[in-house]
Amino acid sequence: MKRKQFLQNAIASAIAGGVVACRTTTASRSNAALPNINWQMATSWPVSLDTIFGGAKTFADRLAAITGGKFKITPRTAGELAPPLEVLNVVSQGAVPCGHTAAYYYVGRSPATAFGAALPFGLNAQQQNAWLYEAGGLKKLQDLYARKFGVIQFPAGNTGAQMGGWFRQEILTAKDLQGLKMRIPGLGGQVMGKLGVTVQTLPGGEIFQALQTGAIDAAEWVGPYDDEKLGLHKVAKFYYYPGWWEPGLALEVQINLNEWKKLPVEYQEAVATAAFEANTIMLARYDARNNEALQRLLQSGVTLRSYSNEILAAAEKASFKLFDEFAAKDADFKSIFAEWKQFRDRVYAWNNINEGSFARYNYAKLKS
């Protein structure tokens, strides 16, 4: 089967909730004829963050279940198999067969990787899935990864819209950002850099200590559930929203392309199905857990603040200036951005009518 045709079938089987993958296995050969495979998976996550590390675990558990326990992957905590921000690199090199990470950690290798994670003022989780699964985004990214990294990747988690970070001091205007040292990765970090922030990229397990010691003045991670587990509220008082740089952060499973090609087609389709389930389940867990965690944080004395419209406008302007700069010097970014931007504009217009109108009516009635 040609790779292009297979990938389309694999995505379709994932959306069908695993039915196609299971039928393919039954129809093409008996389970006994399939090989036993055991892989180790590098991740970017501390095991204590059960929701984001849980995306890797959900993927591995579902893969084992679909294959009758014959294809097993063991997710390892950040740093065990690779430094947390080097997962793509070790998978690309073949040092480990697979990983679970956020694509925007690797914008230094290719700014176009950000499309697999999140762009500032971009797509929310639902819109990101629509772009990936139905508007050609995943195919574009898989072509890019195969060509540049020798890797194939599948969406395998989404945090939903994130919070805007923890600050040791109140931020009222864009001027207040200048000179701050902040942990923030990806293109969001580069936008903050344009606003005068000194940006650092730190793995999750190092954020608390950096804030506590004053090595940084601010940090963002994900949202209330994870941030509470990291203890960030104990070392920074002001909690800002929204996380305009990550309105729907997608995580992904990455597999070395040579290892992928060795897999039976049944296992390849099982991977696509398990990744799809992990993608859906992680978002559901965050949505179910974040508000309760936020209420606990507020009860502990956290001060919740929204970014001012001035800061949001300055950040949006800087974001699209950054996109133009990347498009001018990187052909991959330019090619993907053109179609991504058209999709963003269309889906924004539609969601403004259907979900936006519904949200504005209902949320306006909530007490602040």
Side-chain angles (χ1 to χ4, degrees), residues 8-20 129 133-134 272-273 276-277:
Q8 292 173 340
N9 291 344
I11 302 297
S13 71
I15 295 173
V19 175
V20 174
N129 282 338
Y133 293 124
E134 289 295 322
T273 299
F276 186 87
E277 290 197 33

Side-chain angles (χ1 to χ4, degrees), residues 152-175:
I152 185 171
Q153 94 293 353
F154 295 89
N158 198 299
T159 67
Q162 296 195 6
M163 292 291 282
W166 297 86
F167 291 79
R168 295 162 63 94
Q169 64 188 58
E170 195 167 15
I171 305 298
L172 299 176
T173 68
K175 187 176 181 180

Side-chain angles (χ1 to χ4, degrees), residues 98-111:
C98 63
H100 191 276
T101 187
Y104 63 12
Y105 289 150
Y106 313 101
V107 293
R109 294 192 64 180
S110 171

